[in-house]
Amino acid sequence: MTNVQTEMLIIGGSDAGISAALRARELNGTIKITMILADEFPNLSICGIPYAVSKEVTQWQNLAHRTVDDLKAYDIDFYMNTWATAIDAANHTVTAMRGGDQLTFTYDKLMVGTGAVPKELPIAGEGAGIHVLHTMGDFFDIEAQLVQHQPKRAAIVGAGYVGIEMAEALTRRDVSVTLIQRGSEVLSTVEPDLGASVHDALSNNGVTVLTDETITEIQATEAGYQLVGSTTDDAFDFVLVVVGVRPNSELLINAGATVTNQNAVVVDDHMRTNLPDVYAAGDLVQTKHRLLGETYLPLGTTAHKQGRVAGANIVGRESHFAGIIGSQVLRAFDVIVARTGLLPNEATAAGFTAIMTTAVVDDHKGYFPGAEKMTIRVTADKESHKILGAQLVGKYGSEVAKRADVFATAIYNGMTVEAFSDLDLTYSPVVGAPWDAVQAAVQLLEAELLK
């Protein structure tokens, strides 16, 4: 048995864990930092995996935010391929396994960033061609099948962000893709009529999209994999299941941490759990939403922020997690769709008097060649006039994401519809208009409020 003494112990080497380590080191040059991770790929962009599958990122190593050598320069001790098995919060120890060896880590402060794990579907028969996508190991499994077995017909169960990105990636690898969604339209994070733009982009690029279908089981047959609950009788030689994630919180639950009914770990604004000297951040924790209160919304950007807050507090620099508003963006072939804040129905459910308008505007001055239409839907509170949410759909290259970021900044700071027109935004005919597209959309909402 190996015993390791450390001041700051981190379980998990992805966004939250690395951010905590780097912030702690930035603020304290001498604290001993030790990191346990279950694989050997710290600080890789899991969000970039679909683009490694598509080969737009030509080498998977390029997904690294920082190389292992870069990270070691921060004087972090890594225990890779090491699986944490138990936390004893009272005695400030963590038990782990590396190969057949048991290790015991004694810490002053512990930060847990074990993330989330994919939800799965029941499988009848052998499932070597059935995949999830959440780790580099999953990527290597998918890549091996694409290279060695060259599948021709792929089914993707789940038409959220990862499902849509992988539909594009596999299409680029000359695989025929059927994308299956439980809801009435793909991409349920925006309203269905805007999700339809993504649906069209998928269909126009050869993806078969099936909606209102709930897959209950995957059956392995001699002809291939068949999906129970689908209207298609097709058999597939590759299946990807991306139907969401759940908090990977078992370690902390077993240690006595307080969790929600979704098993998300409850933390305060310092990212502290109820356990002494134990912090948690990222996809395993409940997250503060600035408009909704506490929620579970796993996002990479959130994990980075929460990890940074945890790292600062661990070394004694008081820091508070300010909360999120759920800003997200997706590319589907030549279409970009983004959202931030609340959808109209979410605003109503949260107690606001929601008012919404939709504008179709040019992404830059129409007289300059290449102008494309962009749809912008803005939601506000009729009583306070504060902007609550925005949904945007436009062509790749139309700065949809950055325009969504303008709305995100406004919502974060409680800006009203009227104040939005006062924003001093950049202008050139080749990229915008004197009233940018976002301001034109909000001015339409302002006119509605005046009625």
Side-chain angles (χ1 to χ4, degrees):
M1 178 185 293
T2 302
N3 293 293
V4 180
Q5 298 276 340
T6 189
E7 293 172 273
M8 179 179 180
L9 179 64
I10 300 169
I11 303 174
S14 194
D15 299 341
I18 291 292
S19 292
L22 296 183
R23 182 58 169 164
R25 177 58 72 224
E26 180 181 29
L27 297 174
N28 186 320
T30 61
I31 186 173
K32 182 174 176 58
I33 303 173
T34 304
M35 179 172 288
I36 302 170
L37 60 157
D39 58 19
E40 54 192 71
F41 306 106
N43 210 200
L44 262 72
S45 175
I46 301 304
C47 297
I49 288 178
Y51 308 107
V53 173
S54 71
K55 296 303 182 183
E56 293 167 277
V57 176
T58 56
Q59 301 290 329
W60 67 262
Q61 292 88 344
N62 294 340
L63 296 176
H65 297 300
R66 300 169 187 83
T67 67
V68 173
D69 286 341
D70 290 338
L71 292 169
K72 287 182 177 177
Y74 289 92
D75 194 20
I76 302 168
D77 292 334
F78 288 96
Y79 285 77
M80 300 185 190
N81 297 311
T82 303
W83 192 265
T85 57
I87 297 169
D88 184 341
N91 291 308
H92 284 55
T93 63
V94 170
T95 304
M97 295 298 297
R98 181 170 59 178
D101 298 329
Q102 180 173 305
L103 297 83
T104 299
F105 296 85
T106 302
Y107 62 84
D108 294 335
K109 305 283 186 180
L110 172 65
M111 211 299 286
V112 182
T114 48
V117 292
K119 295 177 181 177
E120 298 183 8
L121 291 173
I123 300 170
E126 294 296 324
I130 301 173
H131 303 273
V132 295
L133 182 57
H134 200 69
T135 67
M136 288 306 299
D138 298 331
F139 164 74
F140 295 134
D141 288 343
I142 289 170
E143 185 64 22
Q145 187 173 10
L146 291 174
V147 172
Q148 296 171 15
H149 301 286
Q150 299 183 347
K152 300 300 181 185
R153 302 177 311 280
I156 299 177
V157 184
Y161 284 83
V162 178
I164 291 168
E165 289 167 349
M166 284 297 293
E168 178 175 352
L170 292 174
T171 299
R172 290 176 180 268
R173 295 288 291 268
D174 296 322
V175 180
S176 175
V177 177
T178 297
L179 181 63
I180 300 154
Q181 171 73 337
R182 180 177 59 182
S184 63
E185 189 50 273
V186 302
L187 199 62
S188 59
T189 53
V190 297
E191 291 181 283
D193 62 323
L194 299 180
S197 298
V198 178
H199 188 146
D200 291 343
L202 292 163
S203 298
N204 292 340
N205 284 276
V207 177
T208 299
V209 180
L210 305 176
T211 57
D212 290 314
E213 296 196 351
T214 300
I215 306 305
T216 58
E217 185 180 72
I218 302 169
Q219 293 182 340
T221 69
E222 290 185 4
Y225 298 109
Q226 294 188 311
L227 307 179
V228 178
S230 175
T231 55
T232 180
D233 294 325
D234 291 347
F236 301 94
D237 45 10
F238 180 105
V239 178
L240 176 67
V241 178
V242 279
V243 292
V245 297
R246 55 182 176 82
N248 187 15
S249 54
E250 185 176 356
L251 261 179
L252 281 170
I253 291 173
N254 291 340
T258 301
V259 296
T260 69
N261 57 9
Q262 293 179 294
N263 286 332
V265 178
V266 176
V267 292
D268 64 13
D269 287 352
H270 292 78
M271 309 313 299
R272 294 178 299 210
T273 72
N274 64 301
L275 302 174
D277 298 318
V278 178
Y279 297 72
D283 291 356
L284 79 160
V285 306
Q286 179 177 258
T287 295
K288 181 172 76 174
H289 193 291
R290 293 176 71 88
L291 299 174
L292 296 177
E294 300 297 335
T295 188
Y296 181 65
L297 185 57
L299 294 168
T301 50
T302 303
H304 279 95
K305 295 181 184 77
Q306 291 176 337
R308 180 179 171 87
V309 169
N313 284 301
I314 284 172
V315 298
R317 178 71 64 86
E318 185 169 339
S319 183
H320 297 266
F321 178 62
I324 64 166
I325 53 173
S327 303
Q328 303 166 58
V329 66
L330 166 79
R331 186 193 77 182
F333 293 97
D334 62 342
V335 170
I336 299 290
V337 58
R339 67 154 295 175
T340 185
L342 305 182
L343 305 183
N345 65 321
E346 293 170 340
T348 300
F352 296 101
T353 305
I355 182 171
M356 174 270 291
T357 55
T358 302
V360 179
V361 291
D362 288 331
D363 65 342
H364 61 259
K365 290 301 293 182
Y367 60 73
F368 189 84
E372 296 281 0
K373 295 296 182 184
M374 179 187 303
T375 300
I376 303 177
R377 180 167 296 165
V378 187
T379 302
D381 178 35
K382 197 170 184 179
E383 304 302 324
S384 67
H385 291 199
K386 287 184 178 180
I387 300 172
L388 299 177
Q391 303 167 75
L392 300 86
V393 179
K395 292 292 185 181
Y396 185 48
S398 293
E399 301 294 348
V400 173
K402 291 306 160 189
R403 286 179 160 111
D405 289 342
V406 177
F407 282 113
T409 304
I411 296 165
Y412 184 94
N413 289 287
M415 185 172 286
T416 64
V417 168
E418 292 81 3
F420 198 83
S421 288
D422 294 332
L423 289 174
D424 187 17
L425 305 180
T426 58
Y427 161 59
S428 168
V430 302
V431 292
W435 292 114
D436 188 77
V438 294
Q439 291 171 311
V442 172
Q443 286 168 358
L444 181 62
L445 183 55
E446 184 179 359
E448 285 296 312
L449 287 168
L450 288 172
K451 290 181 180 179

